[in-house]
C-alpha cells in the first residue's frame, strides 16, 4: 500500500454457525448394530401380522402370531403328564397312594389282632400244659402260629416305614423332573409362536405374509 498508494480491498463476511458436510460415494450394505431375527418354532401358518416394514416399534410390541392350536394341545398334554408325574412322586414320598396306605393300615390292624390272639393262645396253652390239659404238640403248634403272625406283622411294619427303596424314589423323581422339563419346553414353544419386539427399534424386514405356511426354523 505504501509503495503503490492503492486501496487494499478488505473482504468481510457475517459469521454464521452451521454443519460442514463431506460425502464420498461408494458401495456397501447397511446393517443394524443390534439385530433381532425371529424363527418359526414349528411348522405352521402365519396367523396375523401386526407391523409393516419400516415401522418403529416399542419394546414388547406384538409383531407376529402363528396359529398355535397344536402348540396349545401339546402344552395341555405336557401339563397333564407333569401333574401325573408329580402325583406319583408325592405318593412315593408319602409311602404310596391314599388307597394303598388305607389298605396297608387295615392289613396291619388285622395282623396285630391275629398276633395278639396267637400270643394269648400260647400263654393259655402253656398254663394248661402245666396242669396236663394241653399237650406239648398243641403248645408247639400255637408257638409256630405266633412266630408266623409275628413275621407277617414285621413285614407289614417294614412296608409302612420303608415302602420304597432309594431306586424307586430316584426313578419317581427323574420322571417328575423329565415331565417338568417337557412342560417348560412346550410352554416356551407356545410363547415363541407370538413374536414380540425384544427392544425398541425399526422393522427393516418382514419376509412373510398372513396365512403363509412356514417351515420350522424359517
Amino acid at each position: 500500500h505504501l509503495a503503490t498508494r492503492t486501496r487494499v480491498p478488505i473482504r468481510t463476511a457475517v459469521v454464521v454457525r452451521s454443519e460442514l458436510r463431506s460425502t464420498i460415494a461408494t458401495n456397501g450394505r447397511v446393517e443394524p448394530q443390534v439385530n433381532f431375527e425371529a424363527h418359526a418354532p414349528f411348522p405352521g401358518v402365519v396367523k396375523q401380522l401386526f407391523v409393516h416394514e419400516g415401522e418403529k416399534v416399542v419394546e414388547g410390541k406384538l409383531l407376529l402370531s402363528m396359529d398355535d392350536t397344536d402348540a396349545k394341545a401339546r402344552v395341555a398334554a405336557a401339563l397333564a403328564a407333569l401333574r401325573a408325574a408329580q402325583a406319583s412322586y408325592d405318593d412315593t414320598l408319602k409311602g404310596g397312594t391314599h388307597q394303598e396306605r388305607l389298605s396297608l393300615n387295615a392289613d396291619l390292624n388285622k395282623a396285630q389282632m391275629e398276633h395278639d390272639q396267637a400270643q394269648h393262645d400260647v400263654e393259655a396253652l402253656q398254663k394248661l400244659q402245666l396242669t396236663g390239659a394241653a399237650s406239648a404238640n398243641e403248645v408247639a403248634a400255637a408257638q409256630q402260629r405266633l412266630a408266623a403272625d409275628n413275621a407277617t406283622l414285621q413285614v407289614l411294619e417294614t412296608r409302612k416305614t420303608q415302602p420304597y427303596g432309594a431306586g424307586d424314589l430316584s426313578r419317581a423323581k427323574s420322571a417328575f423332573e423329565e415331565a417338568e422339563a417337557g412342560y417348560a419346553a412346550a410352554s416356551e414353544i407356545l410363547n415363541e409362536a407370538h413374536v414380540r419386539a425384544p427392544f425398541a427399534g425399526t422393522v427393516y424386514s418382514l419376509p412373510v405374509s398372513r396365512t403363509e405356511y412356514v417351515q420350522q426354523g424359517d
Side-chain angles (χ1 to χ4, degrees):
H1 168 66
L2 294 176
T4 60
R5 300 292 180 180
T6 59
R7 295 182 178 183
V8 178
I10 303 298
R11 299 179 61 185
T12 65
V14 178
V15 177
V16 295
R17 186 178 296 276
S18 63
E19 295 182 0
L20 298 178
R21 297 175 179 263
S22 177
T23 60
I24 300 176
T26 183
N27 60 342
R29 182 173 61 181
V30 178
E31 293 183 347
Q33 291 181 330
V34 181
N35 182 50
F36 167 69
E37 188 176 87
H39 296 267
F42 50 81
V45 175
V46 178
K47 185 176 181 179
Q48 189 68 46
L49 297 176
F50 300 96
V51 293
H52 53 79
E53 289 188 4
E55 181 178 348
K56 293 184 180 297
V57 297
V58 298
E59 181 179 354
K61 165 71 175 177
L62 185 59
L63 309 177
L64 174 151
S65 286
M66 293 184 62
D67 186 353
D68 57 2
T69 304
D70 291 340
K72 287 180 177 178
R74 286 191 290 269
V75 169
L79 180 58
L82 174 59
R83 288 174 175 171
Q86 185 174 11
S88 178
Y89 181 48
D90 291 342
D91 289 339
T92 303
L93 292 176
K94 294 176 181 177
T97 64
H98 180 66
Q99 185 64 34
E100 288 172 343
R101 294 196 300 273
L102 289 177
S103 177
L104 179 59
N105 288 332
D107 292 341
L108 266 171
N109 291 334
K110 180 181 178 182
Q112 185 66 54
M113 293 175 60
E114 292 176 350
H115 174 271
D116 294 343
Q117 182 62 46
Q119 181 69 40
H120 178 269
D121 292 344
V122 168
E123 294 174 354
L125 286 172
Q126 286 175 339
K127 291 179 180 180
L128 292 174
Q129 185 182 18
L130 294 176
T131 61
S135 66
N137 288 336
E138 290 176 322
V139 174
Q143 289 176 334
Q144 289 179 353
R145 288 194 299 272
L146 176 61
D149 291 341
N150 187 53
T152 301
L153 185 60
Q154 289 180 351
V155 169
L156 292 173
E157 288 177 344
T158 301
R159 283 179 55 193
K160 184 174 182 178
T161 56
Q162 298 177 350
Y164 296 102
D168 298 324
L169 291 173
S170 178
R171 284 189 293 270
K173 184 178 181 181
S174 297
F176 169 65
E177 292 175 345
E178 183 178 353
E180 198 172 34
Y183 175 68
S187 298
E188 180 63 23
I189 290 177
L190 178 60
N191 291 334
E192 291 178 0
H194 306 278
V195 182
R196 295 183 180 275
F199 47 81
T202 303
V203 180
Y204 72 91
S205 177
L206 197 62
V208 292
S209 58
R210 185 174 177 272
T211 71
E212 181 177 347
Y213 185 86
V214 295
Q215 296 292 341
Q216 183 175 356
D218 286 354

